[in-house]
Amino acid sequence: MLKKNLVNQIHAGTNSFYKHEIEAAVDIIMESITKAMADNNRVELRGFGSFSVRNRGGYSYKHPQNGETMRVDGRKKVHFTMGKSLKESLIRLPTE
């Protein structure tokens, strides 16, 4: 789902707000989540899930063509854990 689709879906459910107001609210939410994660804070949305930042350590490997040892630096990655409600709703979905 694109952000535009999310804004349209929220607008269809609530006729009391303009689309540009909903888009501004979605932007503020996304910026808040991004800032919290940039500060290494955990973001929990009850019923949906939680986002956290994990550090992935660096590692070495041998280049397959020339046998040279290469080094990959560590980096941060986003980890998502599903909430109970989301997990249960996905289990109930029919498989294709």
Side-chain angles (χ1 to χ4, degrees):
M1 175 184 281
L2 300 174
K3 184 172 88 169
K4 178 176 73 171
N5 300 50
L6 178 63
V7 169
N8 289 336
Q9 193 170 11
I10 294 170
H11 183 262
T14 61
N15 292 326
S16 57
F17 297 104
Y18 294 112
K19 281 187 182 181
H20 66 87
E21 294 173 330
I22 295 170
E23 187 172 1
V26 170
D27 287 340
I28 291 169
I29 292 168
M30 300 296 278
E31 289 171 12
S32 299
I33 291 172
T34 302
K35 184 177 180 340
M37 293 187 69
D39 294 339
N40 284 329
N41 292 326
R42 183 171 181 261
V43 177
E44 182 176 337
L45 304 171
R46 294 283 170 129
F48 182 73
S50 62
F51 298 92
S52 60
V53 178
R54 293 192 178 173
N55 291 319
R56 181 177 176 183
Y59 59 94
S60 298
Y61 72 98
K62 281 197 173 200
H63 193 282
Q65 292 179 344
N66 58 20
E68 181 181 346
T69 301
M70 307 292 285
R71 176 78 183 147
V72 176
D73 294 331
R75 61 185 176 145
K76 294 180 180 184
K77 69 176 198 168
V78 175
H79 178 75
F80 176 73
T81 304
M82 282 191 287
K84 184 178 178 183
S85 300
L86 178 61
K87 190 181 288 187
E88 288 173 354
S89 67
L90 290 176
I91 290 172
R92 282 187 253 128
L93 289 176
T95 57
E96 295 180 27

